[in-house]
């Protein structure tokens, strides 16, 4: 079943609501950090988050049950850590992230007097450390009055004199000279876990044991720990399946995460050294990097869209021309991501590329398909939604998702809506039945198109065009999406129909009539959807 803004199904898992003691929760958190085995669970989807600093309405946590007899003012230097503080604090934390947009460049950032005042007045301050946000580390803070969470200190990583940022002469963008220090700690699952534990401890300490606020923030931390367990399980399943990924990166900002999932860095050392300093890669180094990206030993190219200088663009072009998967990762939490852990889970899914059904796959694995994959007689599920057969499907989605059953019904009513009751496919012909009248046309394959969705996953549409003049009732353009990326018999499909062009039909995202085999009963379709 399609989820909003995608052509892939949305899978959710129940949230954990058990409130346990503070000590036990912290022990669990520590255990999870080293978790090696466990049952695989799909990550929860990410929705668009507000970019307004201090907004507590969009935390990624269930705040409907929050009870706060104490509230905190929390200031984070960057929104990566601010989003985590907001999620863990819920309604009890008023969080401001001083750098809160991908349009802001942290390497050129200069704190304003207002920023410094917010840092000074905050009950709790969350810093990245390692020199990344040195302007905040150097602010006038009061360790006796304030609780200061410095993630670099938690990880035992301090800034070095090697850490600097600068422009290369005549070159757009930045080179990040970090020396032996990688300051992008929010991409380290270990650092994220340590930060969550430290922020939770700060909240509980400020609130006081036994307070309503302490119970509320502890519940959020326990729920977050469940999400973290899901993330670790995702990675461990890939390890158990011996999933191996290799990559080249225009910058090394997500190297902590890629190392955690077991990906191998194939970026030439000479290129990396040049890009991490104020030097420029030589023509030979750049060509070598481009050749490696285009070769068979690399699965992924990782780019930072905030820093797409001329060299990064050339590597991006090499990846596109060689049909390689490209992962785009900004430094700041993107505006369409609600939580830090959700963002890391998304990137991990993109890099592992092992969940085709949910839209995570390697570009190079997508293959051409023929109309024979969809051969057979098919029934529309729209009448089943209208007559109530799918009510239990909507109710099941409501238990796991973020909408009510009525809201899901409304959403799928728009998606499934069609007057084409039946579709029959045989050979290169398709027949469309409306109100007892059938129109048949012959179609030829027009290739496939990979679509990138707002949530970060992707889908593939297989395109077919009517040959000659299609009779009335038969669309000129047909596009199939069945969650498959290579030749295989479809178990069901979503179809997009139009009479203009393939390009125009590709723009349709809200209406995707869905068809199951005509041989299935209503109840069988509903049961299959519940499993799907």
């Amino acid at each position: 079943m399609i989820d909003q803004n995608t052509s892939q199904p949305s899978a959710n898992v129940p949230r954990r609501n058990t409130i346990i003691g503070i000590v036990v929760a912290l022990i669990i958190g520590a255990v999870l950090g080293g978790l090696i085995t466990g049952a695989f669970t799909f990550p929860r989807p990410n929705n668009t988050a507000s970019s307004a600093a201090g907004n507590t309405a969009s935390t990624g946590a269930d705040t409907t049950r929050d009870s706060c007899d104490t509230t905190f003012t929390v200031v984070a230097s960057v929104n990566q850590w601010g989003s985590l503080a907001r999620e863990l604090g819920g309604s009890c934390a008023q969080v401001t992230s001083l750098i809160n947009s991908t349009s802001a460049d942290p390497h050129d950032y200069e704190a304003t007097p207002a920023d410094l005042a917010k840092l000074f007045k905050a009950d709790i301050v969350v810093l990245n450390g390692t020199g990344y946000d040195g302007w905040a580390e150097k602010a006038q803070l009061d360790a006796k009055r304030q609780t200061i969470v410095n993630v670099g200190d938690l990880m035992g990583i301090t800034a070095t004199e090697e850490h600097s940022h600068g422009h290369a002469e005549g070159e757009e963008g930045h080179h990040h000279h970090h020396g032996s220090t990688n300051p992008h700690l929010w991409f380290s699952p270990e650092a994220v876990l340590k930060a969550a534990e430290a922020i939770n401890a700060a909240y509980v300490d400020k609130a006081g044991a036994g307070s309503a606020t302490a119970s509320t923030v502890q519940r959020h931390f326990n729920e977050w720990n469940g999400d973290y367990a899901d993330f670790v399980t995702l990675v461990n399943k890939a390890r158990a399946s011996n999933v191996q990924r290799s990559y080249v990166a225009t910058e090394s900002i997500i190297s902590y995460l890629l190392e955690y999932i077991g990906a191998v860095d194939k970026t030439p050392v000479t290129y990396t050294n040049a890009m991490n300093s104020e030097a420029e890669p030589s023509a030979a180094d750049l060509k070598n990097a481009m050749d490696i990206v285009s070769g068979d030993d690399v699965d992924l190219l990782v780019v930072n869209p905030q820093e797409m200088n001329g060299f990064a663009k050339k590597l991006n072009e090499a990846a596109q021309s060689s049909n390689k998967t490209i992962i785009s990762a900004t430094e700041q939490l993107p505006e369409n991501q609600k939580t830090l852990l959700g963002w890391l889970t998304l990137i991990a899914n993109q890099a592992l590329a092992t969940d085709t059904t949910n839209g995570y796959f390697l570009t190079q694995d997508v293959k051409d398909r023929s109309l024979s994959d969809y051969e057979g007689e098919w029934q529309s599920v729209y009448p089943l939604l209208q007559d109530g057969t799918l009510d239990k499907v909507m109710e099941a989605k409501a238990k796991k998702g973020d909408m009510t059953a009525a809201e899901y019904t409304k959403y799928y009513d728009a998606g499934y809506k069609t007057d084409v009751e039946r579709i029959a496919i045989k050979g290169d012909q398709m027949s469309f039945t409306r109100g007892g009248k059938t129109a048949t046309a012959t179609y030829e394959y027009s290739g496939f198109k990979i679509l990138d969705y707002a949530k970060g996953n992707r889908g593939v549409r297989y395109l077919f065009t009517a040959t000659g003049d299609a009779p009335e009732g038969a669309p000129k353009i047909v596009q199939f999406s069945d969650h498959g990326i290579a030749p295989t018999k479809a178990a069901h499909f979503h179809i997009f129909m139009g009479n203009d062009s393939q390009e125009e039909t590709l723009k349709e995202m809200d209406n995707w009539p869905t068809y199951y085999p005509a041989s299935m009963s209503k109840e069988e379709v509903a049961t299959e959807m519940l499993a799907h």
Side-chain angles (χ1 to χ4, degrees):
M1 293 173 61
I2 290 184
D3 190 25
Q4 192 170 14
N5 295 325
T6 77
S7 290
Q8 306 296 337
S10 171
N12 302 287
V13 293
R15 297 202 66 83
R16 297 157 176 79
N17 296 318
T18 303
I19 301 177
I20 61 177
I22 296 172
V23 175
V24 175
L26 292 176
I27 292 174
I28 288 176
V31 172
L32 289 174
L35 192 62
I36 298 301
T37 60
F40 178 68
T41 314
F42 288 118
R44 298 167 178 82
N46 300 303
N47 298 318
T48 301
S50 170
S51 61
N55 176 27
T56 59
S58 181
T59 65
D62 177 11
T63 60
T64 59
R65 295 181 290 123
D66 285 2
S67 176
C68 310
D69 48 16
T70 302
T71 59
F72 321 109
T73 56
V74 184
V75 175
S77 58
V78 294
N79 71 347
Q80 299 94 304
W81 298 119
S83 68
L84 179 61
R86 185 177 296 121
E87 181 179 9
L88 295 174
S91 300
C92 302
Q94 298 175 351
V95 182
T96 298
S97 298
L98 297 181
I99 296 181
N100 196 41
S101 171
T102 54
S103 62
D105 192 331
H107 310 113
D108 285 340
Y109 192 76
E110 295 183 7
T112 66
D115 291 337
L116 298 177
K118 290 175 183 176
L119 286 167
F120 179 73
K121 294 178 181 178
D123 297 315
I124 299 169
V125 175
V126 184
L127 305 175
N128 184 77
T130 74
Y132 182 80
D133 46 4
W135 50 272
E137 290 185 89
K138 296 174 183 177
Q140 184 179 2
L141 301 175
D142 185 352
K144 293 182 180 180
R145 175 181 56 85
Q146 299 172 290
T147 300
I148 302 169
V149 177
N150 185 309
V151 184
D153 290 347
L154 295 174
M155 293 293 291
I157 302 175
T158 57
T160 69
E161 293 182 358
E162 297 169 300
H163 181 94
S164 64
H165 302 92
H167 292 276
E169 182 78 24
E171 180 65 44
E172 58 182 299
H174 296 82
H175 297 298
H176 300 178
H177 184 198
H178 299 132
S180 59
T181 301
N182 182 348
H184 308 103
L185 296 177
W186 55 93
F187 286 118
S188 163
E190 181 185 0
V192 171
L193 177 61
K194 286 181 179 292
E197 292 172 338
I199 292 170
N200 177 69
Y203 286 165
V204 172
D205 183 63
K206 288 285 187 183
S211 66
T213 292
S215 295
T216 293
V217 299
Q218 191 60 48
R219 172 172 55 81
H220 288 313
F221 179 66
N222 295 340
E223 291 173 348
W224 184 92
N225 251 337
D227 291 340
Y228 190 86
D230 291 345
F231 168 76
V232 173
T233 304
L234 165 68
V235 176
N236 286 336
K237 182 184 178 182
R239 290 172 181 164
S241 301
N242 198 31
V243 174
Q244 297 181 337
R245 293 288 177 255
S246 58
Y247 70 94
V248 167
T250 61
E251 291 185 27
S252 57
I253 59 173
I254 66 169
S255 59
Y256 283 125
L257 178 58
L258 293 173
E259 180 181 356
Y260 183 81
I261 68 172
V264 178
D265 188 357
K266 296 284 188 177
T267 312
V269 174
T270 52
Y271 179 90
T272 299
N273 289 342
M275 294 305 293
N276 281 347
S277 70
E278 294 184 3
E280 295 181 2
S282 67
D285 291 339
L286 178 60
K287 183 180 184 304
N288 184 34
M290 293 174 64
D291 289 344
I292 292 175
V293 168
S294 302
D296 295 333
D297 293 335
V298 168
D299 301 308
L300 315 164
L301 174 69
V302 181
V303 302
N304 175 2
Q306 292 173 282
E307 305 290 348
M308 290 300 289
N309 57 35
F311 305 113
K313 290 178 181 177
K314 289 184 180 298
L315 291 184
N316 194 69
E317 291 169 359
Q320 289 178 330
S321 63
S322 60
N323 205 35
K324 294 296 174 60
T325 302
I326 300 173
I327 294 179
S328 179
T330 56
E331 292 201 33
Q332 283 73 53
L333 186 75
E335 283 75 5
N336 68 340
Q337 293 299 314
K338 184 185 297 183
T339 67
L340 175 59
L341 187 56
W343 186 32
L344 299 191
T345 302
L346 171 63
I347 297 174
N349 266 313
Q350 291 174 333
L352 292 170
T354 56
D355 187 7
T356 301
T357 299
N358 281 301
Y360 302 107
F361 51 84
L362 294 179
T363 301
Q364 51 269 39
D365 286 344
V366 181
K367 307 300 181 185
D368 288 313
R369 298 173 69 179
S370 68
L371 202 56
S372 62
D373 282 358
Y374 308 97
E375 189 161 307
E377 299 205 7
W378 305 86
Q379 61 176 312
S380 167
V381 303
Y382 186 51
L384 280 60
L385 182 71
Q386 291 181 304
D387 68 16
T389 301
L390 301 185
D391 285 353
K392 56 186 176 183
V393 178
M394 301 300 116
E395 291 166 1
K397 290 188 68 65
K399 290 180 180 179
K400 297 185 292 184
D402 54 4
M403 292 193 294
T404 66
E407 288 171 331
Y408 274 113
T409 299
K410 181 178 180 182
Y411 169 70
Y412 282 100
D413 184 82
Y416 291 157
K417 190 172 185 178
T418 182
D419 61 354
V420 179
E421 303 144 4
R422 298 270 173 149
I423 295 177
I425 303 172
K426 186 174 183 180
D428 59 358
Q429 292 190 324
M430 295 183 65
S431 299
F432 304 83
T433 300
R434 295 176 172 87
K437 296 182 179 180
T438 300
T440 301
T442 301
Y443 293 84
E444 62 182 5
Y445 182 55
S446 300
F448 62 79
K449 178 69 174 180
I450 299 176
L451 300 179
D452 296 309
Y453 301 125
K455 287 186 176 180
N457 59 346
R458 302 190 293 170
V460 182
R461 290 195 199 174
Y462 288 91
L463 319 179
F464 295 86
T465 306
T467 59
D469 295 328
E472 183 178 355
K476 176 182 177 181
I477 303 299
V478 170
Q479 301 174 354
F480 290 96
S481 173
D482 65 335
H483 318 297
I485 62 172
T488 187
K489 176 62 178 175
H492 74 276
F493 60 78
H494 314 289
I495 193 168
F496 302 80
M497 297 174 280
N499 289 307
D500 294 321
S501 65
Q502 294 288 358
E503 291 73 19
E504 282 300 313
T505 307
L506 284 169
K507 295 177 182 178
E508 177 59 66
M509 293 288 176
D510 299 321
N511 178 239
W512 16 265
T514 300
Y515 292 80
Y516 276 74
S519 59
M520 296 178 68
S521 69
K522 292 181 177 183
E523 291 70 24
E524 287 173 333
V525 172
T527 299
E528 176 64 21
M529 283 188 169
L530 284 169
H532 175 61

